[in-house]
Amino acid sequence: MKFSVDYDRCEGHLLCVAAAPDLIEIGDDELAHVVVDELAPAQHPAAEHAIRSCPKQALRLENS
């Protein structure tokens, strides 16, 4: 699965980083950046938690 950020929606609230610090970091542009190319099955719960925590619905989990 691919985990991605829609930069047209992301406003850098940081809630996703708190929810999944091993998967997302805040870049110099103060927006969320996914730090893994493909999620391992064990990472799906953290990604889903981050998706639910985003107030702007800027995160996506898609089949690759």
Side-chain angles (χ1 to χ4, degrees):
M1 306 264 336
K2 183 162 176 66
F3 190 34
S4 62
V5 178
D6 179 343
Y7 293 106
D8 290 331
R9 290 178 176 246
C10 182
E11 294 181 351
H13 290 278
L14 309 179
L15 299 175
C16 60
V17 177
D22 294 339
L23 304 178
I24 305 168
E25 64 184 23
I26 295 298
D28 292 337
D29 56 2
E30 298 184 3
L31 299 177
H33 292 271
V34 175
V35 297
V36 295
D37 291 328
E38 291 286 326
L39 290 178
Q43 294 172 312
H44 289 195
E48 290 168 357
H49 182 62
I51 290 167
R52 288 190 306 274
S53 73
C54 180
K56 302 308 279 182
Q57 299 177 340
L59 299 171
R60 302 272 184 264
L61 191 55
E62 305 167 1
N63 288 324
S64 46

